[in-house]
């Protein structure tokens, strides 16, 4: 769904997580792909450096004229920038050395420093900060040495030394270049973290959606298949002795399987294209009488006490599934054929209590062992709790406490997990 929105809205919204470079940066490292060289920017910078140096030569007649050797030094410094992403350390030292040789030869000051700035920028962004600082410091130190002491023996002839103000300006430019590069590096790291956080959040949403669908399918199928299993056993046992009762069992199997297929389709509707309206409303406590009838068809008599209150859709579905799973566990694991469901509400919460009086059968009911875990997850997602375990006087009890108002899911709260704590060691056969 998120990917579809991104395709519809285009890359402009990505500015929050970094510049929209659809073919420039590698998604994992934030750098251009290893197989490509930055020809476009390098050629543009080369033209700028050569043209700007020609203008600078006319404005600085006291310096050495820009000849073939000077242009070769400029071209070499710019050509090294083609490998600034693959080999940032050699490139930044190489451009600094060529720029220092250019200045030592007496050629005019000008855009040659732009190549050094770009190389320094690339090294800092690539994480080679110390190398970038060392290279720029080498260039500034060499320039300081030339302008204060070596100018007497180096071209151009008759050159005068620099004063402290000029060197301060040069040092200021060095600091500006390094500071801008550091700011860009920090911003790119922040973009990378935001992109990683967004991807992780998308994975969490996908995992939560898969868990929700799996839980729904488990609850739907566990109940219906349990009814079908019981009725199939009844039908096989009575097929010859009481054909009419066997026919009734087969009719119950058909109805239960039809209802299971309908609920499975409803769950799978969530996988359709976003924006589609579900074909049927989600089940809730209003369908509790149907649940009682289904349990009765499986040979379980259920007594219901209390009236269900008005609940938000999510809490209503969770309450229904909890009762459904608890009754399914009675059918599967309990020797009792009687169960009681009690609904109490007050103080902003709903209390669901499901009791049976029979001992565990210890028979293999074909379950996955995830029933109680699914109930706890449903309750915890709403901010509620589940307690399940044997009663002191025998039998088994499931007690669920759910808030009557919509609550923030625990999975969305910092430092919390979507699982409630509860007595698991006493759960009967993992129910």
């Amino acid at each position: 769904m998120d990917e579809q929105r991104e395709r519809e809205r285009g890359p402009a919204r990505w500015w929050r997580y970094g510049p929209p470079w659809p073919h420039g940066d590698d998604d994992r490292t934030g750098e251009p792909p290893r197989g490509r060289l930055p020809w476009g920017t390098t050629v543009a910078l080369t033209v700028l450096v050569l043209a700007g140096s020609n203008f600078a030569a006319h404005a600085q007649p006291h310096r050495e004229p820009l000849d073939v050797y000077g242009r070769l030094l400029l071209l070499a410094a710019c050509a090294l920038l083609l490998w600034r992403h693959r080999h940032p350390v050699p490139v930044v030292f190489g451009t600094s050395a060529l720029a220092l040789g250019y200045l030592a030869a007496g050629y005019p000051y000008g855009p040659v420093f732009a190549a050094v700035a770009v190389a320094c920028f690339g090294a800092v962004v690539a994480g080679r900060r110390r190398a970038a600082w060392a290279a720029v410091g080498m260039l500034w130190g060499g320039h300081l040495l030339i302008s204060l002491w070596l100018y007497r023996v180096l071209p151009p002839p008759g050159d005068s030394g620099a004063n402290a103000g000029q060197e301060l300006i040069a040092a200021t430019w060095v600091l500006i270049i390094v500071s801008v590069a550091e700011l860009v590096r920090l911003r790119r790291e922040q973009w990378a973290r935001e992109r990683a956080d967004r991807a992780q959040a998308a994975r969490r949403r996908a995992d939560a959606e898969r868990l929700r669908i799996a839980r729904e399918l488990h609850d739907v199928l566990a109940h219906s298949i349990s009814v079908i299993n019981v009725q199939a056993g009844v039908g096989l046992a009575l097929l010859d002795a009481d054909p009419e009762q066997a026919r009734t069992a087969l009719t119950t199997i058909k109805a239960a399987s039809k209802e299971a297929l309908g609920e499975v389709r409803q769950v799978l509707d969530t996988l359709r294209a976003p924006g589609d309206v579900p074909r049927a409303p989600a089940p809730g406590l209003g369908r509790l009488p149907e649940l009682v009838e289904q349990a009765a068809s499986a040979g379980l008599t259920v007594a219901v006490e209390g009236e269900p209150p008005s609940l938000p859709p999510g809490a209503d579905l969770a309450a229904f599934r909890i009762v459904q799973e608890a009754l399914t566990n009675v059918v599967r694991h309990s020797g009792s054929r009687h169960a009681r469901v009690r609904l109490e509400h007050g103080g902003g919460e709903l209390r669901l209590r499901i009791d049976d009086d029979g001992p565990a059968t210890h028979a293999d009911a074909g379950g996955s062992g995830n029933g109680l875990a699914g109930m706890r997850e449903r309750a915890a997602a709403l901010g509620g709790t589940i307690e399940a375990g044997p009663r002191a006087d025998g039998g088994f009890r499931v007690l669920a406490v759910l808030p009557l108002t919509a609550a923030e899911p625990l999975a969305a709260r910092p430092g919390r997990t979507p699982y409630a704590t509860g007595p698991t060691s006493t759960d009967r056969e993992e129910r």
Side-chain angles (χ1 to χ4, degrees), residues 122-417:
V124 171
V125 169
R128 306 297 192 270
R129 304 163 61 196
R130 294 184 179 180
W133 297 344
V136 175
M138 177 193 73
L139 175 59
W140 180 74
H143 175 264
L144 189 66
L145 188 64
I146 292 171
S147 60
L148 294 182
W149 291 285
L150 299 181
Y151 67 92
R152 299 183 182 89
V153 297
L154 293 175
D159 193 12
S160 59
N163 55 42
Q166 293 172 329
E167 291 306 321
L168 182 61
I169 292 175
T172 301
W173 277 107
V174 169
L175 291 176
I176 289 174
I177 292 172
V178 174
S179 299
V180 170
E182 287 288 344
L183 288 175
V184 173
R185 179 188 63 82
L186 292 174
R187 185 55 178 156
R188 285 167 68 94
E189 290 179 355
Q190 181 181 358
W191 284 332
R193 286 193 298 270
E194 290 174 350
R195 281 192 290 263
D197 291 343
R198 186 174 62 162
Q200 186 176 4
R203 286 193 296 270
R204 284 197 301 267
R205 288 193 298 270
D207 291 342
E209 182 65 12
R210 284 193 292 269
L211 177 62
R212 187 190 69 81
I213 293 173
R215 189 166 51 231
E216 287 289 328
L217 289 175
H218 171 272
D219 292 347
V220 169
L221 295 178
H223 177 75
S224 300
I225 297 300
S226 295
V227 174
I228 291 172
N229 180 54
V230 171
Q231 292 300 320
V234 172
L236 287 174
L238 301 177
L239 186 60
D240 296 325
D242 192 347
E244 189 62 32
Q245 186 66 26
R247 182 187 299 274
T248 302
L250 292 175
T251 303
T252 302
I253 289 174
K254 180 180 178 181
S257 60
K258 180 179 180 181
E259 181 177 355
L261 287 174
E263 292 204 35
V264 168
R265 290 193 188 99
Q266 179 182 346
V267 172
L268 296 181
D269 279 347
T270 58
L271 299 179
R272 294 181 295 148
D276 292 352
V277 178
R279 299 188 179 114
L285 289 179
R287 291 182 54 184
L288 195 55
E290 299 178 26
L291 200 57
V292 171
E293 292 180 7
Q294 293 173 5
S297 66
L300 180 66
T301 301
V302 180
V304 178
E305 303 175 9
E307 293 294 329
S310 177
L311 293 172
D316 204 19
L317 173 61
F320 177 83
R321 294 300 187 203
I322 289 171
V323 175
Q324 184 183 54
E325 179 62 28
L327 295 179
T328 301
N329 285 339
V330 175
V331 173
R332 280 179 172 177
H333 305 291
S334 176
S336 173
R337 296 295 87 191
H338 299 276
R340 295 182 301 279
V341 177
R342 182 175 181 84
L343 295 86
E344 300 176 350
H345 57 90
E349 63 182 23
L350 169 68
R351 296 171 61 86
L352 292 171
R353 194 178 72 191
I354 302 94
D355 292 283
D356 69 90
D357 300 325
T361 61
H362 300 286
D364 183 9
S368 64
N370 294 322
L372 285 176
M375 286 193 286
R376 289 192 177 96
E377 290 168 5
R378 286 185 182 278
L382 298 171
T385 59
I386 286 282
E387 295 179 6
R391 300 200 318 258
D393 57 348
F396 199 86
R397 171 173 293 172
V398 175
L399 177 62
V401 180
L402 304 177
L404 292 177
T405 57
E408 177 189 10
L410 292 184
R413 302 178 191 173
R416 299 296 298 273
T417 60

Side-chain angles (χ1 to χ4, degrees), residues 81-105:
L81 296 177
L82 286 171
W83 292 274
R84 64 183 182 270
H85 298 301
R86 296 184 179 182
H87 309 288
V89 174
V91 168
V92 70
F93 276 103
T95 53
S96 298
L98 289 170
L100 186 58
Y102 175 89
L103 296 177

